Amino acid sequence: MTPQDLKEKVGSGLLSFPVTHFDSALEIDKKAYQEHVSWLSQYDAAALFAAGGTGELFSLTPQEIREVVQAAKDAAGETPIISGCGYGTKMAIDIARDVESAGADGILLLPHYLIGASQQGLFEHIKAVCDSVSIGVIIYNRANSVANADTVARLADACPNLIGFKDGTGDINLVRKIVSKCGDRLTYVGGMPTHEVFAEAYDAIGVTTYSSAVFNFVPELALSFYDAMRAKDHATLNTLLDEFYYPFLEIRDRVPGYAVSAIKGGLAAAGRPSGPVRPPLTNLTEDEIAALAAIIKGCTS
């Protein structure tokens, strides 16, 4: 898949990022993971992010990232697989090259490790990763890695394989500037935690797609929400927000790290367990999983 092909595909529909399955010893459960990716690939997702944030990239070794991406590619059929990538420049380059050789169709470049950086530093870091591979790259503005509109435009000019921009800052003004400055040179992806609650606002400024975490355990509901957003069906959006997303957020927001843990909890509640999260994340309680099961039943029965 060429970078341009990936750009068009990413912009064509809803995106999601599978959780990474672990066994009781916190080792990757490849069989269960592939079954999950295969199941998700039956639904109309434009692409799947393997070993992304919800896939616990931060807890995987570089070798495990490759293993997860390769497993996803083997199970996903025609659905493109975009690999998570991150950390310092040298490690990010190594990961990017490794997953390219494993068959990844593109990479999502998550924030570098720990430290802040100047705009020139961000430019050099992102450009070095883009230059190291031939597959498409999506940059993820979030946390300590926030490129401004001028930097994103410079990168778009300098990196032919930079095909997308994903936002997790919630800074609508900044995102609007980036969309205005870069136009259709990039595909724009919403990346706020549980982005559905922000989707209408982002859609209004030109960010017409997003990655859905809950797609992991309620794919049909997630697709219904996306379709309603594209159709500007506000009645359906409001119903889904009130009956599913806001109750889900009440559980997700109880504990730091539950943005990931609640997705694995949702899978357990839906009868598709994916194993525990790796520390320092913590698992949902049995009562919280039961509460999620009730929310799911109320919206899907």
Side-chain angles (χ1 to χ4, degrees), residues 119-120 123 149-159 162 181-182:
Q119 290 299 305
Q120 182 60 28
F123 175 85
D150 289 338
T151 300
V152 175
R154 286 179 64 203
L155 286 163
D157 289 340
C159 306
L162 179 64
K181 185 172 282 286
C182 297

Side-chain angles (χ1 to χ4, degrees), residues 18 25 37 44 53 60 64 78 84 101 104-105 109 137 161 191 215 243 263-264 273 276 279 281 284:
V37 171
D44 191 20
L60 300 174
E64 285 177 326
E78 297 299 315
S101 70
D105 298 291
L109 185 57
V137 178
N161 62 329
F215 185 88
E243 295 183 357
I263 304 305
K264 284 196 165 179
L281 297 180
L284 268 63

Side-chain angles (χ1 to χ4, degrees), residues 252-282:
R252 188 207 71 181
D253 291 343
R254 290 178 182 177
V255 176
Y258 262 20
V260 174
S261 304
I263 304 305
K264 284 196 165 179
L267 278 161
R272 306 186 69 89
S274 55
V277 292
R278 278 180 174 172
L281 297 180
T282 53

Side-chain angles (χ1 to χ4, degrees), residues 86-238:
Y87 306 103
T89 305
K90 179 64 169 66
M91 186 180 291
I93 287 172
D94 288 346
I95 292 170
R97 287 173 173 167
D98 210 23
V99 298
E100 180 178 34
S101 70
D105 298 291
I107 64 170
L108 174 67
L109 185 57
L110 279 77
H112 57 275
Y113 176 70
L114 189 61
I115 58 173
S118 67
Q119 290 299 305
Q120 182 60 28
L122 290 175
F123 175 85
E124 292 175 4
H125 170 70
I126 296 166
K127 183 175 185 301
V129 176
C130 288
D131 288 348
S132 72
V133 293
S134 62
I135 54 178
V137 178
I138 301 169
I139 58 173
Y140 194 0
N141 256 23
R142 189 167 180 173
N144 62 322
S145 183
V146 180
N148 65 27
D150 289 338
T151 300
V152 175
R154 286 179 64 203
L155 286 163
D157 289 340
C159 306
N161 62 329
L162 179 64
I163 59 98
F165 170 85
K166 183 176 181 180
D167 182 70
T169 68
D171 186 342
I172 291 290
N173 183 51
L174 172 59
V175 178
R176 184 67 186 90
K177 286 181 181 178
I178 291 169
V179 173
S180 178
K181 185 172 282 286
C182 297
D184 61 6
R185 169 64 183 80
L186 301 174
T187 289
Y188 303 96
V189 180
M192 294 293 289
T194 315
H195 190 84
E196 284 88 346
V197 300
F198 303 93
E200 289 176 281
Y202 273 74
D203 183 59
I205 62 169
V207 182
T208 56
T209 191
Y210 58 87
S211 52
S212 170
V214 301
F215 185 88
N216 271 278
F217 62 93
V218 282
E220 292 177 345
L221 184 148
L223 286 166
S224 293
F225 188 95
Y226 176 81
D227 290 343
M229 185 203 72
R230 302 300 303 130
K232 302 191 186 308
D233 179 356
H234 300 295
T236 297
L237 292 176
N238 289 338

